[in-house]
Amino acid sequence: MTPNRISPTALVLLLGLLSPMAAAQEASSAEGQENRPLAVLAGKVITCAGEPIVDGVVLVRGGKIEAVGPQTEVEIPEGYEVIDCGDKFLMPGLVEVHCHVGGSGDLNEMVYQTNPDLRVLDQVIPHNDALQVAVAGGVTTVCYIPGSGTNMGGFGAILKTGPGELEDVLVRFPGVLKIAQWGNPERRDGTLGSGRMGMNWIIRDQLEEGRAYVRAWDDYESGKSSERPEIDLRLEMFKPLFRREIPVLVHTQGYQGIQATLEMLHDAMDLRIVIGHGTFEGYLISDEVIRRNVPVIAGPRGFRFDPDDGQIHGIVAEYDRRGVEWLGVNTDSPVIPQEELSFQATMAVRYGWNEEEAIRGITIEPARALMIEDRVGSIEVGKDADLVICTGSIIDPRNYVTQVIIDGKVVYDIAKDRRRF
Amino acid sequence: MKPNDLLRLLALLAALAAAMFPSPAPAQEDSGGEASSEPKPDEARPDGEESDEKTPGPILAIVGADIETVTQGTIRRGTILVRDGTILEVGQSIEVPEGAEVIDASGKVVTPGFVAVDMNGVGVGAAARSRGGGGSSNSVADALDPFDRNMKLCLGVGITSGAVRIGGASGARFLFQPGPGSEDEGPVSLTVDDLIGLLADGQLDDETFDHLLAHAEGREDDGHGPLGLFAGDGSGLVSPFDSRFFGEQDRQGTCAHCAATVMEILPEPLAPPSPTRPRPDDYCVIKLTWGDLDGMLAAEQPFYSLSSSSLTGPFNVFSWRENLKKARDYLEELEQYEADKEAGKKDIKEPRKPVDDGLIKLVKKEIPLRTQASSAEQIRSMIALARELDYRLVLDGAIEAWVVAEELGKAGVPVVITPRDRRRSDPGREDSTGSSIETPGILQQAAVPFAIAPLGSSVSLVGLAGRDLTSLPLEAAFAVRGGADEATALAALTIVPARILGLEDRIGSIEKGKDADLLILDGPPLDYRTYVETAIVNGKVRYRRAEDRVYPVFDRDAR
Amino acid sequence: MTQPRIAPLPLLATLAIAAAPPASWGQDRPLALKGATIETVGPAGRIETGVIVLRDGTIEAVGPVDQVEIPEDARVVDASGRTIMPGIVEPAYPYGGDVGSSSSGRRTVVINGRVIVLGGSSPTRSPSFTRVADGLDPFRTDFAPLLRSGLTLLNLIPADYGQAAVVRITPEDPEAMVVEEDGRLYVAVSNSTASLDVVRKGLEAANRPGGGNRSGAGSGSGSGRSGRGPSSSSSNSGASGSARELWKAVAEGKVPLIADAANAAAILYLLEALEEAKDVRLALIASGPDVCRTLDRLADRPKLTLLLRPAIDTEPDNRNLVNVPRLVHEEGIEFAFVQGSDRFGLLSTQDSPLFHVAYLVATGLPREKALAALTARPAELIGQGDALGSLEEGKSASLLVFDGDPLDPYSRLRTVIIAGRTVYETE
């Protein structure tokens, strides 16, 4: 991973020589306003990009991961602040695809049945109370999305959970489009378009309008057409969506719901999609999910009680058993408190998933689903330095997070802060 | 003074001292169940009694497991012998008698069955809800349901006994606004008995029934507060929409889900200041003896349960004091009456019981008061009240217990906590308000006995994992996360709740003579991957994971 | 499916309709059905090519064609290709009259789109003893459709507790409907004190030495101060003397007790309540899943007859199919079929009512047990075994004529004859 190799003794010497004074100088001179570069040492480094590293070290500089490897192989440059976590576990910050606690609570603005012009960006509250506790649960990135009160709730934003101004914490906007196809938005009160057929027609109709708009712009920008289309703010955010730069986070559940999602949003509309619930008997359609290589980031329900066999079935375990690999869990916070993302994985393992996959399912898999895997989700050189130090495997609820680093800054440390979770 | 006189004086003094300071310690010790190595010497021993009655039953032997006794440490590769529902022997070098049925539990862990301090709706039929209401003679002993599926779900995570609320909704009335097609135009009033009838008829499903009762019982944790309040009957009716009596939420009238208005008939019209009678929630303790009525009902009224609101505010506290005083006066009068009767006096009248039986038991310290106190302030005032009025106390939902751990420890008040319970701190007072994940560790430090309750007290199949009653052992794992030892966390699932239910001489630990409520686990009890392989209650196997298949069955090492 | 059509029964058809006003055909001339397969459900078993002679409402003769002499005056009908079996006897048909419902009466309320019928009983309230015969209306017409299912005799049971009455379904002759006014004792049992006390106190009262209405005179006038004392005991053990007599007969094993268990727990409670009463012959109505749960306990109970739905059930707590009557039979427990008010077990709309029974037989229930459970067993239970339930000489001429094997789903029920009269017929 890194070409630098030094002997263990040299490392010890280096560590011993490191004086706070020198470190401070380094920080102020080389990094300016930025934090000092860090060297984080841990008994086990779970990178989520290959095998875990025993007695590993992660170098952090400029908010990014500079190097990662065994302590015997990675040289810690002079001036790096060393955070020695002993035999604790170091892992990438957790990634949540389905969060409603990134700001003020009014998430279901039901202006129309589809609201592609709404955006949560207008109500983000960085590092709010809920997110502060989320940090203590190891969650460093959340996709903050509108609710499922209407068929299209608006566009969500991907945020870091740490402190800062909006621009500091914003990973991407538009993050995702929220579409709700099943359950909550259904009214079925006899009003036109309140059942599943009608809802899906309305979603399709809205997307067709958006697609035509984006095509017109694409044609203009590529020179195919010389006529400059009118700017329509209501449809403007469809551009990255139809250019497949951002996905749709779909509130879809059950066999029929997921089938409609795959057929309509994936096949017909050619969109990137994330199955944002996938619960109830949804796992029965696993074959179709696998064929399209679509991520299932399941939750907040973790199990289904099947009256046919009178048994509890783990949702994720059932997808896993049928061969779905792109899997993760979500909290749908505040349905499940945001800090309990890892506990959602705990329960998935309890019901038959696998612990290693479960760790991927709260880090790199949701990051890939959100199309932010170039920045977060694993410990790899060049990625954001979002690191979590835990007393052991984060999947075991007896263990807890002791330190959290976001973008290279220590944002939570139980040695200084009151323990929050 | 002659030596003799001196001796006599000394003897007199000694007698006096003995009279003034009766030594309660040894006697108390036994009933407290503190590590009593030989509980109930002769009574519980099968051989003692059975020679006259029955021949002893067959022996069940569990061998090879690491045994977590809870009260007497861990026994590596030990043996437990069970006969006639109780533990005959436990230890490392115990011979298995010939003919005994042997369960080989090598490589497994055996613990006592877990005890739930709240086990809502498990193992009782609908009729249990109507207990005591409207003068009905319904007894919970007749309303058990040993085939309730929830029992299997509980056994599968290790719960073998627990306290079940019964009859909490008695006296509630449900007012429905009928829709088009109804014969009645005005609101239709239904009692709990009516609902039970509809349930029995199949006109009402279990879910709706539970939903309505949740209202009637005012289970605010489920978001189902009582919707209205109705005082008295006949002319003294108070409208639930009368702003003089009810808050905004009450006056909204109907539930968003079910169009019901729940009304509660108070025993007296709202006419202070005559002290109102306490209205305790009824509980019983049930053992999960699947398929068997025998031995299922372990105890009735294990504690005196009052809502926190009925002990707050000057009027309620006044009423409480008055009622306790009545109970004490009654006991005195009763004593006098008994003495008079003994003496052959005539023209004496037996005093009338002015309060319910539970209150009498409370005053006699046979059962504790169980109530809720979440803030430090509430906890302090409950401790003070219990000290002043002299009764035993158990506090539920003690979220801020970590703030007053010292006081709780000194008062010897056990608490029930849910480590994941959250309560926001007051701004600027983060160090002394709100919840703390470290509460279990702090309580352990201060020697405050605590029992664990999961986030939800009933079995839920809606699909949210690890939050209902069946997450009890996982919630204890969070106690370890919060700084408690594994042993303390295990005690919080076993012996501490057993003491809270007053059944520490029967359940909560693996000791000779105690009920054979045992779990054979496929791993350490607080490991989140651990499942119960076999659950034994009253000496019989009541659950086997591989056969009952209520939870997923897979090989944990193959995952 | 089509081949039996070659031999319709034109004679029966004409007679039944044409001769309705005067006392119908069997009266003066006997009728001989010849050449049919006869399931006697009696000692004669199944007769492949038989003849049955009906005269004056009773069976004059039944046997193989070559052994029975057909009277000279008889009308002989060629019934070859047909199968004749006894009429189906329903041992517990809820009588939905006004009897027993609360004083406020039943009323319908619609709450949130859900239709709810109020005014029923609740297991938590003490039920009162009612006698079906007291509220019986023989002119009710809603029994007639049951003939399509082959039901000929109904044991009408009260709402919660009381005395049943037996009727036969003769819509043309309401006066003749009531067969037995003083029927069996019936009680619905749930896991509730109120319902269990009916059984406990009933047996207690029956076992009490002496007789008479003790509570009425004795304690009532004694206490005087309030009605508290006597009221509870008298209402529970049955207000009328007849209840006590019935319990006495039940306790002594003279007549069976018909009990309906609301759930598996209720079965355990009931068995517990009857633990000491070894003489009690219990006829227990229970659902398939509840029977599955308690099978080992039920097997231990002496003198038990289970009343089961004639259909495939699901196992408790899952949806695996299970043939409960077969399990029960294999445990050595007697059973009879009960339809209840929903008549789920019989498919009357197809004129092949025994479809579900055929399914049970196809999956392992012995055929003769199934037929007996529809006819002879319930007839015995309700005290009509001497007259009904099997096709034997001297018994009542109540029978069903199918155009093939009754358990063949392609067969149709063609004719229902009760006491010698054709009461139902279809093309």
Side-chain angles (χ1 to χ4, degrees), chain B residues 139-214:
Chain B
S139 140
V140 67
D142 286 333
L144 304 172
D145 181 3
F147 297 105
D148 176 13
R149 182 181 55 203
N150 287 341
M151 288 171 68
K152 285 282 185 192
L153 288 157
C154 287
L155 287 166
V157 299
I159 300 167
T160 56
S161 55
V164 180
R165 179 157 44 173
I166 48 176
S170 300
R173 288 235 243 150
F174 302 82
L175 269 200
F176 289 94
Q177 195 57 51
S182 302
E183 290 170 26
D184 305 70
E185 287 187 0
V188 181
S189 163
L190 298 182
T191 63
V192 176
D193 281 331
D194 289 326
L195 295 183
I196 291 172
L198 292 173
L199 185 73
D201 266 6
Q203 296 198 59
L204 205 63
D205 52 88
D206 286 336
E207 206 181 319
T208 312
F209 179 72
D210 288 341
H211 176 91
L212 291 170
L213 288 187

Side-chain angles (χ1 to χ4, degrees), chain B residues 34 401 404-415 439-450 488 496 499:
Chain B
E34 271 301 319
V404 287
E406 294 286 316
E407 283 141 280
L408 281 165
K410 264 183 224 149
V413 171
V415 296
T439 299
I442 295 167
L443 293 181
Q444 181 185 317
Q445 280 289 316
V448 179
F450 64 89
T488 305
V496 178
R499 285 185 190 129

